[in-house]
Structure formats: structure tokens, C-alpha cells
Amino acid sequence: MNSLLPLPVVVPLLGAALTLLLASRPRIQRSVSVLCLASTFVVAVVLLIQAYRYGPVVLAIGGWPAPVGIVLVADQLAALMVVVSSAVTLCVLLYSIGQGRSETAETTPVVIFHPTYLVLTAGVTNAFLAGDLFNLFVGFEILLAASFVLITLGGTEARIRTGSTYVVVSILSSMIFLTAVGLVYSATGTLNLAQLAQRLDDLPDNVRLTLQLMLLLAFSIKAAVFPLSAWLPDSYPTAPAPVTAVFAGLLTKVGVYAIIRTETLLFPDGQASKLLMVVAGLTMVVGILGAVAQSDMKRLLSFTLVSHIGYMIFGVALSTIAGLSGAIFYVVHHITIQTTLFLVAGLVEERAGSTDLRRLGGLARVAPLLGVLFFVPAMNLAGVPPFSGFLGKLGLLEAGVAAGGALPWALVAAGTLTSLLTLYVASRVWNIAFWRAPQLATTEPVVRLPTLMVGATVGLVVFGLMLTVLAGPLFDVTADAATDLLSRTPYVRAVLPGGAP
């Protein structure tokens, strides 16, 4: 099965080249894009089954074995992330096709969108499958280069202005990451993650802590962890709806994934656990308080995105199987639900011409399906039983209680408060935009929502509900993944079969 491992990266890249050549044939271009992401999803499912049954799938690129050559590794965590990201990017692509048919090329130049979007997908999957720090850096740079184009798509003044902030912050985090990569190589003589898991243990504690903090700083900027999250609420809302959705759902989670991978595999002693607990609590509370103060639906969702990153960092900071399993489950849940809500915001903007809550009202009456599409994922995000959001938060809170101590208990309290405030925020949007009397934007001439946009959103809502139905098996996968991550042995032995130092 290791021959399948490059396909989630190679297929989107080949598709990007092909769609660029097919710029004058939009119908074929769309078909190629959908076929690429659908095949990527199928391959990802096969890799997840293989990793779950038999352990990590490893491929040495070019026949150069680790630690000399570049390796791609699909353990249960990486394979699960590729499955979820492939499903989400496919649904968002279908949504964007529906939107592209209803918009002018000046607003969203679809010819540029397809190849760039496929490059973004390749960068995301490469980051998940990377078996060494430099290839992880390359994955980040591929997705960031594509995101620079997507976030300024259409070239409007607002998109250029906010995109500039995003570019500056991204370049800064990449510079910190690259500096950390250089220092790691200088200290250990390798960048292979499996070999680093062995060699970093021999370094002096102060050197290891310095390297750990530099990598955490770089990844925390990318993941929008407080206080390094101020750039996100200003950058995401101005982009086209499908771009905002995939950014919110995936890009910050690549940063979270990098934190999970490095904290468990490279720095398992938990030296930074107290720091992570503090920033996790602040991220949850400050983010949701920012959401409470917003009057625009997209900005409000951007702040909830920041807030719920804190739950994932909470699970990582506990350094227990239960905590890490809950964090991985919550990553899967949040990728799906947050993407869905941003797609719904795009539908609201399509129907009413605005996402400003002061101009909205009565949407539940004039567009009842739109009301359902918002209500279900909003309640899921808030953690209302029996949705997956409730199950993920419950798992994290139970892990915090089991860990004991002042900081875990404080995080349990912060997580509970954040969940209640998220419910308040979701209820507020529902009451204002969907339930109260129609306002100016809602009473404008009715715009028929494109079927493909609605269908893609319905698909993601159903996918989110499936996470609830299949929560038991999913928790089995995340628990196994957490066990392997904390033991480190399955990963190291799969990459370095001889256990070479």
C-alpha cells in the first residue's frame, strides 16, 4: 500500500497543472478538479484503513531510505487528517463551482481558482504526510503560496488590504519555522522526525527547550493561538466564501497538527505543558469574548474559530492518552463544523447580500432550508447533546478532571464557560438573522440559491452528523492514534526499521 502514499500530494499537483492548461475549457476544468479531489479522498480512506489495521505506512521517496532520504508517513493521525481534509476540500470545491456559475469572473476568477485550490490541497496533504521537518516546512510553504493568491482573489481593495496582513504574518511565522529547522539540524545533524525522536533526548535540557519553544512559536502563529491570533479575524472574512471556509476549516488545523506531532514525537517530556495550558485557556476565553462583541456573521465565526483552537491545545497540553484522543477527535469535528458554518455564511450573503446582523432578519421564514443548515452545525459547535461537539468537549473535560491539578481544573472551567458563551453566540445569530422580523437585506428581491452550493453545504452538514453517529468507532481510532503518538515506538520503528540512531 505504500505505493499509494504520494498520490494525495501528486494527484492535486498534476490536476493543478492540467486545470491551468484547460483554462479556456471551464467545464472540463471543473470536472478534472472534482475527479482529482474525489480520487484523493478514496486513496486517503484506503491509507487510513491500512494504518489502523497494520500500523504506519511509510514510503522512501526516490528509493533513498530514512534517515538519508525524504519519507512520507501515514500513521493513524496523518491518515485521518488526510481523509477529513480531502472530504472537506471536495465539498468546498463543489460549493465554489456553484458559486462560480452565479458570479462574474471579476468577482471570483474561477480560471485561477481551480489550479490554485488544488495546489493548496497538495500543500495541506504534504504537511500531514511529511516525515521530516524540512518537508513539513515545504508543505506549509506550498499551501501558503496558494493561500496568498486565494485570499486576494478578485483584487478588491478590502481583500488586498487584509491579504497583506495575512501575507506578512505568514512570512514571519515561516521565517521563525525555518530558523528553528536550521537550529535543529545544527544541534542534531538530522531533520528526520523519527531520528530526531532519538537524538533530541541526548541534548541538554535548555537547548531542547529552546528548540521546542521556537517550533511552538512558529506553529502557534499558524494555528492562531492567543496571543498570536489577532491577524485571523481581520484576514479571513473578506475572502470569497469557499476560500474563507477552507481557510477556517483547514489551515489553522495544519498548525495544530504540527503542534501535536512535534510535542508528542520530539518533545514528550511535557516541559511546555504548563505554558500550553495557559495559552489554551486564554485562547478559549478571549476568542469567544471577541465573538460576543461582533455584529457581522463572518467576523463572529472567525472569533469562534480562534476560541475553539484552545480546546485542541488543551488536549495536547494534558499529555495523556485521553487528552490527546479528545484533541484529535475535536480537530476532526471542528474542521467539518467550522467549514460548514462559513459555507452557510456564504449562502446567507448570496441570499441577502450581506452578513451584517443589523441588516438581517426573518431568514428562517423566507429560506427555511438555510435556517436548518445554520442551526444544526451551530448547535454542534456549541456542544449541545448529542452532537459530536458535545462528545468532543466531554472527552476533553473528562481528561482534564482525570489529570487533576489547578491548571487542568481551570481549563475545565474555561472550556465550560466557552461552550456556554458559544451557545449564546449561536443563539444570538439565530434570533437576529433567522427569527426576528425581516430587515432591509432580507426584504430585497429574492435570489435563488445555486443548487450546487446548497447541495455541498447539505453534504457537509450530513458529514458532521455522521461524526455523531460514528463517534464510537472514531474515538477508537483517535485513542489508538493517541496511544501510538505517546509511545512513539510504532512511528520510529516504521520509519527506521533497524532502530538506527
Side-chain angles (χ1 to χ4, degrees):
M1 288 294 176
N2 61 356
S3 59
L4 297 176
L5 205 47
L7 294 183
V9 180
V10 173
V11 169
L13 287 178
L14 292 177
L18 188 55
T19 53
L20 193 59
L21 294 175
L22 294 170
S24 59
R25 309 287 295 275
R27 180 173 296 180
I28 301 178
Q29 187 189 52
R30 292 193 294 265
S31 299
V32 169
S33 298
V34 172
L35 181 61
C36 287
L37 293 188
S39 59
T40 299
F41 174 72
V42 172
V43 171
V45 171
V46 173
L47 289 174
L48 177 59
I49 295 172
Q50 181 76 6
Y52 181 70
R53 288 182 176 177
Y54 306 109
V57 183
V58 181
L59 177 67
I61 302 299
W64 292 89
V68 177
I70 296 173
V71 293
L72 298 178
V73 186
D75 60 354
Q76 292 185 68
L77 172 62
L80 181 61
M81 292 298 101
V82 176
V83 168
V84 178
S85 65
S86 300
V88 166
T89 51
L90 177 58
C91 288
V92 174
L93 177 66
L94 294 174
Y95 181 100
S96 71
I97 291 172
Q99 185 182 49
R101 289 173 176 172
S102 68
E103 291 191 350
T104 63
E106 289 77 15
T107 305
T108 306
V110 180
V111 170
I112 301 172
F113 175 84
H114 283 274
T116 311
Y117 187 79
L118 289 174
V119 171
L120 177 81
T121 303
V124 170
T125 53
N126 185 68
F128 288 145
L129 298 174
D132 65 85
L133 274 182
F134 188 76
N135 197 24
L136 178 61
F137 172 78
V138 170
F140 271 114
E141 293 310 294
I142 292 173
L143 70 89
L144 288 175
S147 69
F148 296 160
V149 177
L150 292 174
I151 202 168
T152 56
L153 209 59
T156 64
E157 180 182 350
R159 290 176 184 174
I160 294 295
R161 183 179 65 253
T162 57
S164 298
T165 302
Y166 175 78
V167 169
V168 170
V169 171
S170 298
I171 290 176
L172 175 62
S173 65
S174 295
M175 289 175 61
I176 296 171
F177 187 11
L178 187 58
T179 302
V181 168
L183 291 175
V184 168
Y185 186 77
S186 176
T188 63
T190 185
L191 293 175
N192 181 274
L193 291 174
Q195 196 171 36
L196 282 173
Q198 298 173 331
R199 293 191 177 182
L200 282 170
D201 291 340
D202 298 329
L203 296 180
D205 289 345
N206 59 337
V207 175
R208 291 182 71 253
L209 183 59
T210 300
L211 297 176
Q212 182 180 11
L213 292 178
M214 286 199 66
L215 289 172
L216 268 179
L217 177 62
F219 298 147
S220 295
I221 295 174
K222 297 179 185 299
V225 175
F226 182 85
L228 307 171
S229 57
W231 58 272
L232 190 149
D234 291 327
S235 299
Y236 284 7
T238 58
V243 174
T244 303
V246 79
F247 279 23
L250 277 181
L251 297 199
T252 51
K253 309 312 181 302
V254 180
V256 173
Y257 166 83
I259 291 174
I260 293 174
R261 178 67 71 192
T262 54
E263 286 301 299
T264 55
L265 185 60
L266 305 187
F267 307 103
D269 53 9
Q271 287 191 75
S273 60
K274 291 184 179 180
L275 174 63
L276 285 174
M277 287 185 189
V278 171
V279 298
L282 291 174
T283 301
M284 284 190 280
V285 175
V286 174
I288 200 60
L289 290 177
V292 170
Q294 301 308 307
S295 60
D296 181 87
M297 192 173 178
K298 285 185 177 180
R299 282 185 60 83
L300 181 149
L301 290 175
S302 296
F303 276 100
T304 63
L305 165 61
V306 172
S307 175
H308 286 246
I309 295 294
Y311 284 103
M312 305 164 209
I313 304 302
F314 172 23
V316 177
L318 291 176
S319 299
T320 63
I321 292 176
L324 197 56
S325 174
I328 297 170
F329 184 94
Y330 205 81
V331 169
V332 173
H333 149 81
H334 199 255
I335 288 174
T336 307
I337 301 306
Q338 197 74 50
T339 303
T340 306
L341 286 170
F342 272 101
L343 292 186
V344 173
L347 290 177
V348 170
E349 190 170 28
E350 188 84 14
R351 169 60 182 80
S354 174
T355 55
D356 189 337
L357 295 177
R358 294 167 294 190
R359 302 187 66 219
L360 298 176
L363 284 173
R365 276 169 277 179
V366 299
L369 178 58
L370 189 55
V372 174
L373 293 179
F374 171 81
F375 184 81
V376 174
M379 294 300 101
N380 201 336
L381 183 70
V384 174
F387 293 123
S388 58
F390 167 76
L391 299 174
K393 290 173 183 175
L394 181 62
L396 288 168
L397 297 182
E398 286 181 343
V401 171
L407 277 176
W409 274 104
L411 281 174
V412 168
T416 304
L417 175 63
T418 300
S419 187
L420 292 173
L421 288 177
T422 303
L423 179 60
Y424 165 76
V425 167
S427 302
R428 178 168 165 263
V429 174
W430 171 261
N431 288 332
I432 295 176
F434 292 89
W435 198 248
R436 72 172 177 175
Q439 302 298 302
L440 177 62
T442 318
T443 55
E444 292 177 356
V446 175
V447 176
R448 180 178 175 81
L449 294 174
T451 303
L452 199 53
M453 291 176 70
V454 176
T457 309
V458 170
L460 269 185
V461 171
V462 172
F463 187 71
L465 292 175
M466 290 302 295
L467 294 181
T468 302
V469 175
L470 301 175
L474 182 56
F475 262 118
D476 290 339
V477 174
T478 61
D480 281 351
T483 302
D484 289 349
L485 286 170
L486 290 177
S487 70
R488 303 195 296 171
T489 303
Y491 188 99
V492 174
R493 284 183 177 172
V495 178
L496 304 172

